[in-house]
Amino acid sequence: GLVAGDEESYTVFKDLFDPVISARHGGYPADGKHPTDMNPANLLQEKIDPTGNYTVTTRCRTGRSIRGFCLPPSNTFEERREVERVIVKGLLSLEGDLKGDYFPLHGSRSYAPKPTGMSEEKEEELRKAGNLFQEPDSTLLLSSGCGRHWPDARGIFHNEARNFFVWVNEEDHMRIISMEVGDNVDAIFKRFCAATEGVGKVLRAEGYDFMHNDHLGYILTCPSNLGTGLRAGTIVKVPKLSARPDFKTVCAKLGLQARGTAGVDSVSTDGRFDISNADRLGKSETHLVNVFIRGVKTFIEWEQKLEAGENIDAIIEAAKPWEPSGGAGSSDPEYPPNGLTAAVKKLPEWIQLGCGNAEYICSEKGATFPGDVCPDALPDLSEHNNFAVDELKKDPALYDKLKGLKTSKGVTLAKCLKTGIDNKGHPNIKTVGLVAGDEESYTVFKDLFDPVISARHGGY
């Protein structure tokens, strides 16, 4: 419901923009500092789709605006042509696998080497392949002013391999897109970073630069794209997972969003969705790509479980988006918390599942109780033999009383009780069935801990 006409709009009208930005970006504060990290070495080195059976194409895109010019809703005819000139000069200087050519929209008279733009056939070919933006057929774009003087000074650059594209003067000055068939996110992101840096270098030599500040990151027309402006996405086939009525909620739990393969408002009828990171602002580029990598990898693993007839409700309940961890080894994909060591990988899979960073969920061993949030009701406990379950059977209301509580450090009843629910115990050896997650667990959940302690310690 709001666009910027130039870079200064975000400060002159900050009393409106700031709360809108906060609402759109999950509470981003008016004094927040946006991090930037374009280092490919900080990406997770994980295959999204090891089988190659689920992903179709993968892409990484962002926008960039040129400082000193109005943004597309407000720029003049002459200003838009100058934006095209400086951007195209930068693009045509790219070398190696980024080398390519610029094609103005059919009918544009702004670019002397192609005085009437690309041919209609070329334009249709690019659009059918999903590589070129549409004419402004949305009242959102038309009302914003982005359709003025169409098609003049709009166009697309692509390299010879057609896995790198730049849109010029659509909704933003530039939309940079790196893509290819399959799931090679590392190669896609490296190409994306090299192109962004290459164009920026030429702009700076011309006396220009990208719009950027510490608070909002890279400045773009729509507040929804502030920060990184980055969208890492893949067309993925998940017909069983996407058939769940809570599919959108499932996406949100992993920091993802889903749209049909034809764009933001499209629907899917064959289980193919364009899955991408949901956030843009407040997290760095590599952070968001890692959320995407881990999230889509998890989706495919869940789809495989559903194909095998497994129930994944408890796994989904415990799911969280990827988060970076500090400390020694935090950037090593073969060491916790990002991965497993070589020694652990030699162990049976059911053991490996409990040695990583995720909550232990293993249907093979019956370990499916979530460790973060208690489900509404307990599973069948008729075959369990431990002190904690005995107390829950004696007083069924006790679980409802405690399941919504947590300690000041965030420990829940689910964390304390998981081991006792996942493990039924031995018929002749009674286990405790309960552990403390922190010191405060013994007081917050004392109505369960006290009788368990008493039973275990002879009436203490």
Side-chain angles (χ1 to χ4, degrees):
L2 194 64
V3 294
D6 58 8
E7 185 172 11
E8 198 179 351
S9 298
Y10 286 106
T11 52
V12 172
F13 310 117
K14 70 186 303 292
D15 290 348
L16 176 58
F17 272 101
D18 279 356
V20 168
I21 291 167
S22 179
R24 174 59 180 80
H25 292 279
Y28 188 73
D31 60 350
K33 300 293 184 184
H34 174 78
T36 293
D37 178 12
M38 297 278 283
N39 185 358
N42 292 330
L43 292 184
L44 294 173
Q45 297 301 308
E46 299 179 1
K47 289 283 288 179
I48 290 177
D49 180 14
T51 67
N53 295 329
Y54 297 88
T55 56
V56 181
T57 60
T58 304
R59 67 183 63 201
C60 188
R61 70 90 165 144
T62 192
R64 289 290 186 268
S65 306
I66 314 303
R67 178 161 282 155
F69 295 103
C70 285
L71 293 167
S74 300
N75 55 12
T76 64
F77 181 86
E78 293 76 15
E79 192 175 33
R80 190 182 300 105
R81 286 194 166 193
E82 180 63 7
V83 169
E84 179 188 47
R85 185 193 70 78
V86 298
I87 290 174
V88 171
K89 181 176 181 179
L91 293 170
L92 293 179
S93 71
L94 297 175
E95 299 178 346
D97 64 354
L98 298 175
K99 184 178 180 181
D101 199 4
Y102 175 67
F103 301 89
L105 293 188
H106 178 70
S108 174
R109 302 177 185 176
S110 60
Y111 184 61
K114 297 181 177 66
T116 59
M118 73 178 96
S119 68
E120 288 184 280
E121 291 76 18
K122 171 81 172 179
E123 191 167 277
E124 184 63 20
E125 173 197 347
L126 288 168
R127 284 212 173 106
K128 278 188 175 179
N131 297 325
L132 179 62
F133 50 90
Q134 301 290 329
E135 62 278 357
D137 58 357
S138 162
T139 55
L140 286 172
L141 285 173
L142 293 170
S143 294
S144 73
C146 289
R148 292 171 304 117
H149 316 128
W150 198 273
D152 194 81
R154 278 89 168 185
I156 182 172
F157 172 94
H158 67 71
N159 64 347
E160 294 171 2
R162 296 201 185 195
N163 56 18
F164 167 64
F165 302 86
V166 178
W167 296 352
V168 177
N169 282 329
E170 188 228 12
E171 180 183 323
D172 292 302
H173 290 162
M174 300 172 66
R175 280 282 174 91
I176 303 167
I177 305 157
S178 176
M179 64 174 292
E180 61 184 70
V181 174
D183 68 341
N184 193 347
V185 179
D186 190 63
I188 291 167
F189 190 72
K190 284 178 178 176
R191 188 186 311 120
F192 167 82
C193 293
T196 305
E197 177 55 31
V199 175
K201 185 177 180 180
V202 174
L203 289 176
R204 288 188 287 274
E206 287 266 309
Y208 297 104
D209 205 349
F210 296 133
M211 295 183 190
H212 181 275
N213 64 53
D214 290 341
H215 173 47
L216 297 177
Y218 287 100
I219 303 298
L220 295 168
T221 298
C222 181
S224 68
N225 287 322
L226 289 168
T228 61
L230 183 141
R231 183 173 175 272
T234 186
I235 306 296
V236 62
K237 296 175 281 189
V238 284
K240 293 186 179 296
L241 182 65
S242 62
R244 292 176 61 100
D246 62 346
F247 181 54
K248 285 190 175 181
T249 303
V250 171
C251 290
K253 281 183 71 71
L254 293 184
L256 303 175
Q257 61 183 11
R259 60 178 70 176
T261 56
V264 65
D265 294 321
S266 64
V267 297
S268 173
T269 57
D270 60 358
R272 294 186 183 210
F273 279 86
D274 185 350
I275 306 292
S276 62
N277 56 291
D279 293 332
R280 305 281 187 273
L281 181 63
K283 296 177 177 125
S284 74
E285 289 83 356
T286 56
H287 184 138
L288 295 178
V289 175
N290 284 340
V291 167
F292 160 74
I293 291 172
R294 182 63 58 80
V296 177
K297 178 184 178 184
T298 300
F299 270 17
I300 290 172
E301 291 170 352
W302 290 349
E303 183 72 14
Q304 291 169 333
K305 288 181 182 295
L306 291 172
E307 289 171 352
E310 297 181 30
N311 186 298
I312 62 171
D313 289 351
I315 301 175
I316 289 177
E317 185 72 27
K320 294 179 180 178
W322 178 88
E323 285 287 346
S325 300
S330 63
S331 61
D332 187 346
E334 300 298 324
Y335 193 84
N338 298 318
L340 302 176
T341 65
V344 171
K345 288 180 179 179
K346 294 177 182 178
L347 300 173
E349 184 180 0
W350 68 269
I351 296 177
Q352 293 184 39
L353 290 171
C355 297
N357 198 41
E359 198 74 55
Y360 184 58
I361 299 292
C362 179
S363 55
E364 176 189 350
K365 295 296 181 181
T368 58
F369 193 77
D372 56 350
V373 178
C374 286
D376 290 337
L378 287 167
D380 178 19
L381 302 176
S382 60
E383 297 181 3
H384 284 63
N385 185 35
N386 62 57
F387 291 110
V389 167
D390 285 351
E391 296 303 322
L392 293 171
K393 287 178 180 177
K394 286 180 191 176
D395 183 4
L398 186 57
Y399 178 75
D400 288 332
K401 178 181 179 182
L402 301 177
K403 67 182 182 183
L405 304 179
K406 64 172 61 176
T407 71
S408 60
K409 291 187 177 297
V411 175
T412 62
L413 178 65
K415 173 63 73 176
C416 300
L417 197 55
K418 178 175 170 58
T419 186
I421 303 299
D422 285 349
N423 298 281
K424 294 180 179 179
H426 191 279
N428 299 320
I429 304 173
K430 181 162 291 203
T431 56
V432 175
L434 194 65
V435 294
D438 59 6
E439 184 176 11
E440 198 180 346
S441 298
Y442 286 106
T443 52
V444 172
F445 309 115
K446 70 187 301 295
D447 289 350
L448 178 58
F449 270 101
D450 280 356
V452 167
I453 292 167
S454 178
R456 174 61 181 79
H457 293 281
Y460 184 78

